[in-house]
Amino acid sequence: MRFSGHRVLITGAGAGIGRLMAERMAGRGAEVIVTARRIDAAREVVKHIANAGGTAHAYTLDVGKISSIATLRDKIHEEVGPLTMLINNAGVVFGGEFEQVSLDQHLQTFKVNSEGLMACTHAFLDDLIQAQHGHLVNIASASAFIGLPYGSSYAASKWAVVGFSESLRLELAERGLRNVKVTTVCPSYIATGMFKGVKTPLFSPMLTPDKVVSSILKGIAAGEPFVIEPPMARSVELLKGVLPRRLWDQVAKYTGVSTSMYSWKGKHD
Ligand SMILES: NC(=O)c1ccc[n+]([C@@H]2O[C@H](COP(=O)([O-])OP(=O)(O)OC[C@H]3O[C@@H](n4cnc5c(N)ncnc54)[C@H](OP(=O)(O)O)[C@@H]3O)[C@@H](O)[C@H]2O)c1
């Protein structure tokens, strides 16, 4: 699996699976534009990639600062060139009882996870359309298929990502733009610290970043519309569709699907 010829921008690539995707894609021949809120974090990843013989560039990008995104696009066009792939990875979560989490934090969740992702796509979609093989990758979450008590704004922001991503994928196909692939990624819990403290559901153990990134890269290479991890999470949509809602609620409760966030601590406990 090679990504030579791709110029990939990854948001939130200073840590977690964003960083790992940057390093892996560079290792497989892609030129990577590493963006992070803190330039030091982006430079650190670029240094690591360069030491391993890859090509990467560091830029500051806070995807919550919507008006800065088009400015950065122009700067990248001038200094590096147009993209062939955009990976919208940046994300935040604030768990807890709905009214105990501040309104600012709920709104920030939407700003980063949904609005920032749409704004980055808006800024760079034309690059992908002009590319011979363009690819848009949106990191959503398995919580986009369920109700997530104590994580309502996070789940809602990821439902928005799936709705946006699927709609755009169909729209591009309808417009005959078959050179642009769209992949929506829906993993369950990953051991990056973002969901420290959660109680993982039955049949859905904590995933390693390594496993998730391997699946994402395979899915991108195959042009898959969806990457869902673990595979068991795929059954949620089916079960929700066929079971009466109250029965599904009980299944979700007793398998720990809807109770996992009760003990969330996150990175800043
Ligand atoms: N961990 C999981 O269990 C899990 C499960 C499903 C989906 N996901 C999704 O996977 C993606 C990556 O998460 P992760 O697990 O790798 O957690 P992570 O290590 O916390 O990574 C999140 C990244 O997003 C960045 N970020 C946050 N706010 C930003 C902003 N306003 N502008 C730009 N970057 C920003 C963070 O930067 P800082 O370091 O500066 O904060 C960090 O690099 C997220 O979209 C997340 O929702 C995660």
Side-chain angles (χ1 to χ4, degrees):
M1 190 176 23
R2 297 290 299 167
F3 294 102
S4 312
H6 269 297
R7 183 179 291 130
V8 188
L9 185 148
I10 307 176
T11 67
I17 62 166
R19 175 176 183 155
L20 199 52
M21 284 189 284
E23 292 173 356
R24 291 274 185 84
M25 294 206 87
R28 291 172 183 276
E31 179 183 5
V32 181
I33 299 172
V34 177
T35 70
R37 277 194 289 197
R38 290 171 299 109
I39 193 65
D40 288 1
R43 285 196 182 126
E44 165 65 29
V45 179
V46 166
K47 197 167 130 198
H48 196 263
I49 290 173
N51 286 343
T55 307
H57 316 269
Y59 286 92
T60 310
L61 175 60
D62 180 336
V63 303
K65 297 193 171 140
I66 304 290
S67 62
S68 73
I69 296 173
T71 312
L72 179 71
R73 185 253 338 264
D74 295 345
K75 191 170 151 78
I76 288 173
H77 279 176
E78 206 180 301
E79 296 175 357
V80 187
L83 310 186
T84 63
M85 193 184 301
L86 169 65
I87 305 183
N88 282 309
N89 166 74
V92 287
V93 61
F94 298 99
E97 290 176 357
F98 178 74
E99 71 280 19
Q100 299 304 324
V101 174
S102 74
L103 180 58
D104 273 354
Q105 289 175 319
H106 286 305
L107 298 182
Q108 190 194 340
T109 305
F110 260 76
K111 181 68 86 189
V112 174
N113 299 6
S114 319
E115 291 179 34
L117 176 144
M118 276 183 240
C120 288
T121 306
H122 196 271
F124 288 105
L125 187 62
D126 194 53
D127 285 14
L128 310 185
I129 291 173
Q130 300 306 326
Q132 201 182 351
H133 301 287
H135 209 133
L136 171 67
V137 181
N138 288 325
I139 308 297
S141 158
S143 69
F145 303 135
I146 56 165
L148 190 66
Y150 296 72
S152 53
S153 53
Y154 179 78
S157 73
K158 296 295 189 179
W159 281 55
V161 172
V162 170
F164 168 65
S165 212
E166 273 296 89
S167 305
L168 190 60
R169 181 175 69 80
L170 295 172
E171 179 183 319
L172 292 170
E174 193 63 32
R175 287 162 55 188
L177 297 166
R178 295 190 185 275
N179 59 316
V180 187
K181 301 268 182 277
V182 179
T183 299
T184 310
V185 179
C186 299
S188 181
Y189 293 122
I190 315 163
T192 55
M194 189 179 195
F195 285 93
K196 204 163 92 190
V198 296
K199 191 168 183 304
T200 54
L202 216 59
F203 313 119
S204 187
M206 188 61 86
L207 300 163
T208 63
D210 186 60
K211 162 83 184 135
V212 173
V213 169
S214 296
S215 294
I216 295 173
L217 297 198
K218 253 191 244 159
I220 293 174
E224 294 288 352
F226 267 99
V227 172
I228 300 173
E229 277 293 339
M232 185 66 191
R234 287 181 208 149
S235 58
V236 167
E237 277 198 300
L238 176 72
L239 284 174
K240 261 174 68 182
V242 296
L243 294 180
R245 184 57 56 153
R246 286 207 173 85
L247 182 54
W248 163 250
D249 288 350
Q250 294 305 309
V251 171
K253 183 170 175 179
Y254 289 108
T255 53
V257 166
S258 61
T259 54
S260 57
M261 280 289 283
Y262 290 1
S263 49
W264 176 88
K265 290 190 170 61
K267 283 186 168 174
H268 311 289
D269 56 333

